[in-house]
């Protein structure tokens, strides 16, 4: 597999927001199931008809699929393929990478269409990417002890550089 990303630290407020967005995407795309998985293969959240689906395996295999496809992309000089589509007899899987960090999986059947799913996924992707950037920012702030309550929170690297120039 590719490079391992640091574990994703999900805060309750963001988890609730992300789950609501996944549930909304399920409805708007008229999909059967929507999964959000991190690139390490951990299931973040899901919505829809998940009964009868081994969600742990699905998350791991999806991450493996993305890693394998990323290898193919590098062979032809691409950074990665951000969208994958698998067409089955009854069900189809639309997979997209959000912000190089998480994988959005939409399973749909003949009640929806690839065009509708792509449209709805594109709209949701921007919002999800923004949320995951906020989560990464929060995680970085806490790791460096520079949270909002820190007395050093307002000091930037430029401020420090200016002291010595």
């Amino acid at each position: 597999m590719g490079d391992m990303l640091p574990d994703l630290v999900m805060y309750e407020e963001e988890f609730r927001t992300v789950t609501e967005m996944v549930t909304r995407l399920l409805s708007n795309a008229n999909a059967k199931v929507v999964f959000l998985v991190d690139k390490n293969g951990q299931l973040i959240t899901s919505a829809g008809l998940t009964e009868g689906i081994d969600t742990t395996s699905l998350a791991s295999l999806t991450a493996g699929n993305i890693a394998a496809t990323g290898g193919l992309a590098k062979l032809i000089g691409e950074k990665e393929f951000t969208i994958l589509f698998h067409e089955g007899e009854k069900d189809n899987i639309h997979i997209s990478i959000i912000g190089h960090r998480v994988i959005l999986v939409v399973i749909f059947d003949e009640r929806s269409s690839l065009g509708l799913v792509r449209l709805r996924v594109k709209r949701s992707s921007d919002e999800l990417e923004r949320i995951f950037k906020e989560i990464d920012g929060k995680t970085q702030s806490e790791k460096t002890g520079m949270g909002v309550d820190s007395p050093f929170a307002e000091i930037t690297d430029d401020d420090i550089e200016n002291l010595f120039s």
Side-chain angles (χ1 to χ4, degrees):
M1 285 230 259
D3 300 324
M4 292 293 286
L5 293 169
D7 286 335
L8 182 67
V9 177
M10 181 71 73
Y11 298 88
E12 189 173 332
E13 181 184 336
E14 284 85 3
F15 176 76
R16 202 173 318 116
T17 303
V18 165
T19 300
E20 287 170 8
M21 291 180 62
V22 165
T23 302
R24 192 175 339 125
L25 175 61
L26 174 82
S27 173
N28 290 343
N30 205 22
K32 290 175 72 176
V33 190
V34 177
F35 293 97
L36 195 61
V37 177
D38 81 2
K39 275 184 134 179
N40 293 333
Q42 298 293 314
L43 179 67
I44 297 170
T45 190
S46 64
L49 304 170
T50 57
E51 300 85 29
I53 296 176
D54 181 351
T55 56
T56 304
S57 294
L58 186 130
S60 300
L61 291 170
T62 300
N65 191 356
I66 290 293
T69 307
L72 286 172
K74 284 181 181 151
L75 285 176
I76 63 167
E78 289 288 329
K79 188 174 178 188
E80 67 184 355
F81 295 122
T82 55
I83 296 174
L84 306 174
F85 175 66
H86 301 283
E87 185 173 354
E89 284 184 27
K90 294 183 292 183
D91 294 329
N92 309 299
I93 301 178
H94 183 278
I95 300 171
S96 54
I97 301 173
I98 311 286
H100 308 285
R101 185 77 167 104
V102 295
I103 305 164
L104 184 62
V105 181
V106 179
I107 300 175
F108 63 99
D109 59 16
E110 75 282 347
R111 293 175 297 145
S112 189
S113 69
L114 178 58
L116 178 64
V117 169
R118 288 186 69 176
L119 176 71
R120 300 301 189 193
V121 164
K122 184 161 180 41
R123 288 185 179 169
S124 297
S125 294
D126 294 340
E127 209 170 335
L128 284 168
E129 188 172 347
R130 181 187 55 74
I131 290 169
F132 281 99
K133 277 185 183 170
E134 285 176 16
I135 292 169
D136 282 344
K138 263 189 182 179
T139 304
Q140 289 300 324
S141 293
E142 288 190 1
K143 273 186 184 170
T144 58
M146 302 292 248
V148 180
D149 296 334
S150 169
F152 307 111
E154 77 279 356
I155 300 173
T156 65
D157 287 344
D158 288 339
D159 293 335
I160 295 169
E161 285 294 321
N162 289 336
L163 286 174
F164 301 103
S165 59

